[in-house]
Amino acid sequence: MSESEVIVVGAGPTGLALSLALARHHVPSVVLDATDGEVVPRAARTCVLRPDTAACLPPVPGARWSAWRAQRRRQLVRRVELDEETSPVHIEQHTVERSLRAALDEEKLARVVTGSHLDILEQDADGVTAHTRGAGGTWWRGSYLVGCDGARSTVRKLLGVRFTGRTAVERHAVAALRTRLPWDGEALLHRDLGGRPGEVTARPLPGGVWRLDWLLPPRGDLVTPDELLHRVHTTLAQWYGTDSADASAVGPYELLDTGVYTTHQRLARRWRVDRAFLAGDAAHLMGALGVQSVDEGLRDATNLAWKIAHAWHHGDRPPHPQHPTGATTSGLGEATEALLDSYEAERRTAVAARLRAVDQAMTVVRRGGGGLRALLPGGGARSHLGLLTDGHVGSGLLGAPPAYERSPLTLPRGAVASVPVGTAPGSPVRDVPVTALNGQQVHLRERLGGVGGELLVLLVAPGTGVWDSRHWLSHTPV
């Protein structure tokens, strides 16, 4: 038992990524994994990661799309060219988990303990105590605890945090198959295929594999294997321009995996309770209209990791002049409290805004509701396909990386004189090309990334030659 370890409950992508980021910030952690540690491959269970999120992971063999196509019936409505900075990474989730576990195996400050089912959680001013059942039970003691244990989070329940929202927002049938499609390397959203109401997406994966998703009625019968096979064949037949009942007319394909999943919209009322935190699906459920839950969970992990690391390394601060004790009920200094509170203030606010945008857009996209201009302030009169493209590609109100312009870590507007710049405070900096001292062409994030792989803070002083490499090449991450 280590008094100083950070206890991470849950060994999905969010929990594993958090532990890895903590290790790279020189903070020890233990991941309590309720499973046996075996990662079951499921070709139909994939995730779409934005480029900046994927950059925080170990190298993984994902597929990058060259373009996104939006079609209605037989007409191409929109085609969005994608480049290195804008193309998402589409990858099977088991590949992400295996790469994270392999990276953690190389870290001396991280360990994963399988068969660990949490059943008790207690806190005091100095740390967190947890108990896992099995093999006589084990007690764990740590400095902080993070619940990354999914939608049915035990941590969230033990903390007494409500999980409000709606269930059964969207249902999809999904199939993963190895085949060739007419749009090699391009993802596709197709509405009213064959003149019939409906929606199907096709997104390429590595190795010639495609994931196909069909939007199902909100309430309907179970999708049988025969019905899924029929959907695959009829969809391919339409894309190849034939209505033949002969399977050979659509070209050979190998069906790898199938499934049906339901998306939910839920948000935990609190993401921090003293020294315990929630992240990933334990804190939020999303996924309608193309919004990516795993991507948001990884954003939680990278946001929280450096803040816990800073508190872990520098938590003991001199007392505040106005508060001689310099401590709070959690035993942390006020500056540390403010830093840890900023996790919920930034991430919960960003996710809540995303969920509100999805709820408002659902009325228009799925139910043919009122005008988009009234529903989505600042969004303008967007088309249905335009809104769906935002969610799938990672742009606009439904998909763009969040900006934390109202973070408690930023100064109030007007507090200091400012110089207009292209990147608003709290927004991700563009990954522009820069020239290193040796003349090599590199990218900004490559040289400014923190030890966990994420860009934390970039301060630009007016009048300085900030793009001169001698100013940023020898930076110190904060």
Side-chain angles (χ1 to χ4, degrees):
M1 180 183 296
S2 171
E3 293 281 342
S4 62
E5 281 183 323
V6 174
I7 302 172
V8 179
V9 182
T14 301
L16 296 172
L18 175 63
S19 179
L20 182 61
L22 288 171
R24 292 175 174 175
H25 285 293
H26 311 293
V27 175
S29 66
V30 57
V31 180
L32 303 182
D33 181 3
T35 74
D36 60 5
E38 290 294 324
V39 180
V40 179
R42 287 290 309 274
R45 191 179 185 190
T46 68
C47 48
V48 179
L49 306 179
R50 312 306 181 218
D52 59 316
T53 308
C56 299
L57 298 175
V60 287
R64 302 291 292 263
W65 309 334
S66 59
W68 173 267
R69 302 170 62 90
Q71 291 188 198
R72 187 171 184 270
R73 297 181 180 177
R74 294 185 181 274
Q75 182 180 1
L76 178 64
V77 178
R78 187 181 184 190
R79 185 175 182 275
V80 181
E81 293 279 353
L82 301 172
D83 55 24
E84 184 177 346
E85 187 175 350
T86 59
S87 175
V89 178
H90 189 204
I91 187 170
E92 295 164 334
Q93 185 167 319
H94 68 262
T95 302
V96 174
E97 294 182 11
R98 284 176 172 173
S99 67
L100 286 168
R101 286 179 182 267
L104 285 174
D105 286 342
E106 303 297 321
E107 294 287 350
K108 296 181 179 179
L109 293 176
R111 56 192 177 120
V112 179
V113 182
T114 59
S116 300
H117 299 263
L118 181 76
D119 57 4
I120 297 176
L121 192 163
E122 299 173 347
Q123 299 192 66
D124 54 50
D126 300 317
V128 182
T129 301
H131 180 269
T132 53
R133 65 178 184 269
T138 305
W139 287 96
W140 308 87
R141 178 70 177 176
S143 52
Y144 302 95
L145 182 143
V146 185
C148 306
D149 49 342
R152 300 179 180 180
S153 171
T154 300
V155 172
R156 188 184 63 243
K157 295 173 183 176
L158 292 175
L159 293 175
V161 175
R162 295 181 60 192
F163 202 35
T164 58
R166 299 188 292 126
T167 60
V169 176
E170 286 189 344
R171 289 198 315 145
H172 291 261
V174 57
L177 56 151
R178 184 174 283 108
T179 187
R180 293 190 64 183
L181 293 183
W183 310 280
D184 187 31
E186 299 186 8
L188 170 71
L189 168 66
H190 202 149
R191 301 195 82 181
D192 303 339
L193 181 67
R196 294 182 293 273
E199 177 183 305
V200 59
T201 58
R203 291 170 286 189
L205 285 158
V209 177
W210 290 80
R211 169 172 165 164
L212 274 58
D213 290 67
W214 294 268
L215 180 66
L216 299 173
R219 297 175 182 84
D221 297 332
L222 295 176
V223 180
T224 65
D226 286 343
E227 183 181 346
L228 256 174
L229 284 173
H230 177 71
R231 285 179 178 270
V232 171
H233 176 72
T234 56
T235 299
L236 294 180
Q238 286 288 334
W239 287 340
Y240 279 99
T242 175
D243 294 323
S244 170
D246 182 5
S248 63
V250 301
Y253 66 86
E254 177 187 2
L255 188 61
L256 303 176
D257 191 18
T258 62
V260 176
Y261 70 93
T262 303
T263 61
H264 307 270
Q265 299 275 92
R266 290 189 175 273
L267 185 66
R269 285 292 182 90
R270 301 178 64 186
W271 288 27
R272 180 194 175 197
V273 179
D274 296 330
R275 289 176 173 266
F277 302 83
L278 298 174
D281 286 353
H284 51 75
L285 289 179
M286 54 208 318
L289 304 185
V291 176
Q292 298 297 322
S293 181
V294 173
D295 188 81
E296 294 291 352
L298 294 176
R299 291 189 188 280
D300 297 342
T302 55
N303 185 289
L304 182 58
W306 76 266
K307 294 173 181 178
I308 287 182
H310 188 85
W312 192 89
H313 287 293
H314 310 289
D316 295 329
R317 294 298 188 186
H320 190 281
Q322 297 179 359
H323 302 277
T325 59
T328 64
T329 56
S330 61
L332 302 171
E334 289 186 357
T336 300
E337 287 279 2
L339 178 64
L340 295 177
D341 280 343
S342 72
Y343 164 67
E344 177 177 321
E346 293 176 354
R347 290 299 304 144
R348 189 182 186 279
T349 299
V351 171
R354 187 90 77 205
L355 290 174
R356 283 194 300 271
V358 170
D359 274 342
Q360 292 169 339
M362 286 278 287
T363 304
V364 176
V365 175
R366 300 299 187 216
R367 305 185 187 96
L372 290 174
R373 193 178 300 278
L375 288 171
L376 300 176
R382 300 296 310 283
S383 69
H384 297 183
L385 288 175
L387 284 169
L388 289 169
T389 297
D390 286 348
H392 284 286
V393 176
S395 60
L397 291 171
L398 299 187
Y404 308 125
E405 66 267 14
R406 296 185 180 180
S407 168
L409 301 182
T410 61
L411 292 173
R413 288 186 178 181
V416 295
S418 61
V419 175
V421 294
T423 301
S427 300
V429 65
R430 286 196 60 192
D431 196 14
V432 297
V434 293
T435 303
L437 286 175
N438 61 3
Q440 179 184 4
Q441 289 290 323
V442 295
H443 280 84
L444 180 63
R445 286 182 188 154
E446 178 185 337
R447 295 304 176 101
L448 284 177
V451 293
E454 71 282 1
L455 176 66
L456 301 181
V457 178
L458 174 62
L459 302 176
V460 179
T464 62
V466 68
W467 301 118
D468 190 325
S469 57
R470 69 173 181 271
H471 291 294
W472 52 264
L473 193 59
S474 59
H475 82 294
T476 301
V478 295

